[in-house]
């Protein structure tokens, strides 16, 4: 297996987990790590929230030794707040501090952060420089293709990030306006890779070992990042690693094994956040795990009403009994 180095951190050249808000929490990261994720990134944390001692924001920064290598991701639009937040984040000893310059959701981009920074490369450069100067932890930057198809500037922005001291740039091959629709543009990732001397991480539409290899081969990127395809399917990282090593497709876990994986995930979620909050968040995760199973519509309804671990256990029993009857 090949490895890359970002800063002074050695990373297996397989696939990393993307920083998905309200998804890539400790339980999700733990499951993805178990199945071979090469690098983890936590949920994005507000720089101002950290500076104003927001407990909810600070809770996003915990890094366990099991999760390493792991990045903490910050978002904001003011260099001074981003620098102060980086100092606070550094106390949690992440392997990297990642700057979010790609989030397309209105509550982030609409306030000048996330992908809005793609429209102001000078400000983006000031933010990267401020964070780099504030801590000795390697700084990475996540960007998009551009704001829209008329404003595709990933190469320019990536160069600014590199010149400002970033150790790596991750590129999602979609514009802000695309959100998550359409296809990711591999060509723009290849162009960024050709333009930079630092590591480039490719992101977008990787949902199998084959598509991961295609990303590597087409773009020449140093590492691949997986986002939505890991939802309800943390074993994708094992599939990717196996394909890269052998060229063969690894069969997914059996339906019964998938239920056990889901069971482990939901219990980790409740152990970390408490049953009340954990089960609220379990609703989306269980829907992802159960997608495509017989009786999917009924199962979705059950997922949407989960309130206790007892509800979850009852759903598991129903699924298992139904499967037995179908044999």
């Amino acid at each position: 297996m090949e490895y890359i180095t970002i800063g002074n951190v050695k990373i297996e050249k397989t696939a990393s987990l993307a920083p998905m808000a309200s998804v890539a929490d400790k339980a999700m990261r733990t499951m993805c790590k178990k199945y071979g994720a090469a690098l983890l990134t936590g949920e994005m944390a507000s720089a101002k929230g950290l500076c104003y001692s927001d407990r909810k924001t600070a809770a996003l920064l915990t890094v366990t030794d099991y999760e390493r290598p792991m990045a903490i991701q910050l978002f904001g639009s003011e260099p001074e707040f981003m620098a102060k937040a980086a100092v606070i984040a550094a106390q949690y000893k992440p392997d990297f501090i990642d700057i979010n310059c790609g989030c397309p959701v209105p509550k982030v981009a609409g306030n000048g952060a996330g992908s809005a920074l793609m429209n102001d490369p000078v400000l983006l450069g000031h933010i990267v420089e401020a964070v780099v100067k504030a801590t000795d932890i390697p700084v990475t930057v996540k960007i998009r293709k551009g704001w829209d198809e008329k404003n595709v500037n990933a190469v320019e922005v990536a160069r600014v990030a590199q010149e400002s001291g970033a150790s790596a740039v991750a590129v999602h091959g979609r514009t802000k306006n695309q959100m998550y629709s359409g296809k990711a543009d591999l060509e723009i990732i290849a162009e960024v890779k050709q333009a930079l001397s630092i590591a480039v991480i490719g992101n977008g539409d990787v949902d199998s070992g084959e598509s991961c290899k295609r990303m590597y081969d087409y773009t020449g990127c140093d590492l691949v990042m997986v986002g939505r395809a890991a939802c309800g399917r943390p074993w994708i990282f094992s599939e990717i690693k196996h394909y890269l090593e052998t060229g063969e497709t690894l069969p997914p876990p059996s339906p019964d094994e998938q239920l056990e994986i889901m069971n482990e995930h939901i219990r980790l979620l409740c152990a970390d956040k408490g049953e009340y909050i954990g089960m609220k968040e379990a609703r989306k995760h269980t829907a992802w795990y159960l997608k495509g199973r017989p009786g999917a519509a009924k199962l979705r309804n059950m997922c949407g009403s989960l309130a206790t671990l007892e509800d979850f256990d009852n759903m598991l029993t129903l699924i298992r009994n139904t499967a037995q009857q179908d044999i």
Side-chain angles (χ1 to χ4, degrees), residues 1-323:
M1 180 53 61
E2 293 182 62
Y3 290 84
I4 66 164
T5 302
I6 299 177
N8 58 353
V9 181
K10 187 178 179 181
I11 303 168
E12 196 172 60
K13 191 171 180 177
T14 51
S16 62
L17 177 67
M20 296 177 284
S22 300
V23 175
D25 57 17
K26 182 181 176 183
M28 175 72 168
R29 297 193 304 267
T30 299
M31 296 304 296
C32 291
K33 183 69 174 182
K34 178 178 180 178
Y35 289 96
L39 169 66
L40 304 173
T41 306
E43 304 169 84
M44 63 180 179
S46 163
K48 279 192 172 180
L50 283 181
C51 293
Y52 291 126
S53 301
D54 182 336
R55 289 184 184 178
K56 186 177 179 181
T57 300
L60 301 175
L61 305 185
T62 302
V63 179
T64 64
D65 286 340
Y66 180 76
E67 295 172 283
R68 297 186 186 281
M70 180 176 156
I72 284 174
Q73 189 184 69
L74 303 176
F75 75 93
S77 59
E78 297 166 79
E80 61 273 23
F81 278 108
M82 289 291 283
K84 291 177 183 177
V87 171
I88 297 169
Q91 296 172 16
Y92 293 82
K93 297 180 169 47
D95 296 288
F96 306 102
I97 292 177
D98 187 60
I99 300 174
N100 185 319
C101 302
C103 181
V105 300
K107 69 177 182 179
V108 175
N111 288 315
S115 56
L117 292 171
M118 299 287 294
N119 288 330
D120 194 343
V122 173
L123 175 59
L124 184 150
H126 290 327
I127 287 173
V128 175
E129 185 176 7
V131 173
V132 169
K133 287 181 177 178
T135 174
D136 58 2
I137 295 172
V139 174
T140 60
V141 181
K142 192 168 192 293
I143 67 173
R144 281 193 166 230
K145 177 180 176 179
W147 183 261
D148 55 32
E149 288 299 331
K150 293 181 180 179
N151 296 278
V152 174
N153 63 343
V155 173
E156 175 194 355
V157 167
R159 281 188 175 132
V160 169
Q162 176 176 271
E163 291 164 2
S164 301
S167 296
V169 172
V171 187
H172 186 142
R174 288 181 173 85
T175 64
K176 178 269 178 190
N177 279 5
Q178 277 184 279
M179 297 289 283
Y180 300 99
S181 65
K183 291 185 177 181
D185 182 358
L186 297 187
E187 185 61 40
I188 194 67
I189 299 171
E191 290 176 13
V192 171
K193 174 57 186 171
Q194 291 165 11
L196 301 191
S197 59
I198 59 175
V200 172
I201 303 169
N203 179 217
D205 293 346
V206 173
D207 59 3
S208 65
E210 186 177 8
S211 59
C212 183
K213 188 173 189 303
R214 187 184 313 123
M215 172 82 79
Y216 275 124
D217 291 346
Y218 190 93
T219 69
C221 66
D222 301 282
L223 187 65
V224 167
M225 181 174 279
V226 175
R228 289 170 295 158
C231 295
R233 194 179 156 207
W235 56 83
I236 187 174
F237 296 100
S238 296
E239 294 177 351
I240 286 172
K241 182 175 181 177
H242 184 81
Y243 188 88
L244 294 177
E245 289 179 337
T246 68
E248 299 173 352
T249 300
L250 184 69
S254 70
D256 283 346
E257 289 170 333
Q258 290 180 27
L259 288 182
E260 287 306 315
I261 295 168
M262 177 178 70
N263 186 26
E264 181 181 359
H265 187 161
I266 301 312
R267 279 171 158 71
L268 281 173
L269 190 56
C270 290
D272 187 45
K273 299 185 177 183
E275 185 173 357
Y276 179 75
I277 295 174
M279 290 313 301
K280 277 191 170 183
E281 298 194 4
R283 295 169 186 171
K284 58 177 178 280
H285 288 285
T286 52
W288 288 326
Y289 274 105
L290 298 175
K291 184 178 180 181
R293 280 185 171 255
K298 181 179 179 181
L299 290 176
R300 274 198 305 273
N301 289 336
M302 293 184 72
C303 293
S305 61
L306 291 173
T308 65
L309 275 169
E310 184 179 2
D311 293 341
F312 175 69
D313 289 337
N314 289 339
M315 184 177 74
L316 277 179
T317 299
L318 176 64
I319 294 169
R320 286 169 176 147
N321 289 343
T322 302

